[in-house]
Amino acid sequence: MRAFYSDHFVLPLPEGHKFPMAKYSRLRERILADGIISPDDLHEAPPAPIADLRLVHTAEYVDAVVTGTVPAEIQRRIGFPWSPQMVERSRRSVGATIAASYAALDEGVAANLAGGTHHAFADRGEGFCVFNDVAVAARVLQQQQLARRIAIVDLDVHQGNGTAAIFGGDASVLTFSMHGDKNFPFRKEVSDRDVALADGTGDDEYLSLLQSHLPDLLNRHQPDFVFYLAGADPFEGDRLGRLKMTIDGLRRRDEIVMNACTKGRLPVAISMSGGYADDINAIVTIHANTIRVAGTLCRNTFVS
């Protein structure tokens, strides 16, 4: 199983900024130390070509990000100050998901060790998201006729509002989101299937809902390819999550998703998405479990 990283492009953040950037490098270290990924299967992410970004984002917005002329209000909504490093990191985060998509077509599953920037709309970013990596990768696959029908399974605790808006009315892309009902974004978009969760939702209810929705959705949509946003922020210790999922419950969540995909021999590209616990080790463990589950099921299903 191949994985792609961009964590060595460090963003200059203001003192006291709460986004846990360290989780990305720690995740890369963990999966190597635990033997989940071999060094030969770990690759630096390439930057996404500007033309690929424009398959989803408006030319005006892409040019504004690249040149540092993003309006102050949009930059505030993104949450990161503009810098050349921000542009490079954002392009490579998208490039990692595109690369993971190609690898998944060859091997069954692959991962971006960051990504899941689902709050980015066609004409703006918000919520720590500059470009929408999954949306761009989906359009690249379709443009190159590598996939016709795509499913996006978004299990970050926050609704993928940008993704839902980008693919609204497009029957070729299924958007499925399970998210906190009262959590950010407070103005939700409409996905093809939204499952809104009450504060305090725990393992049993969450997993039951996922099992009741996901296999049926995949069966109805009949996708050629799946993108999985495996957020760590439904975790009970997350500062922004408001749910009560345990680390073991999130591992079982990953098993449900991967079993549903491997049952249909559907290639899957995984993005890590959110995770904001004060205990970075917990975030890293949740993300590492996702990679472990995916790699194990992939070897059992696609490798003979």
Side-chain angles (χ1 to χ4, degrees), residues 141-152:
L141 293 183
Q142 289 183 323
Q143 182 195 52
Q144 297 182 9
Q145 298 183 2
L146 297 173
R148 186 173 62 89
R149 297 177 64 79
I150 289 169
I152 299 174

Side-chain angles (χ1 to χ4, degrees), residues 52 55-56 94 97-102 105 132-152 163 166-167 170 172-175 224-227 229 269 271:
D52 287 354
L55 293 174
V56 167
V94 177
T97 299
I98 296 172
S101 302
Y102 293 148
L105 287 169
N132 194 310
D133 64 304
V134 165
V136 173
R139 287 302 191 215
V140 168
L141 293 183
Q142 289 183 323
Q143 182 195 52
Q144 297 182 9
Q145 298 183 2
L146 297 173
R148 186 173 62 89
R149 297 177 64 79
I150 289 169
I152 299 174
T163 307
I166 287 167
F167 293 115
D170 183 346
S172 72
V173 179
L174 170 76
T175 53
D224 308 307
F225 195 95
V226 176
F227 289 94
L229 283 73
S271 293

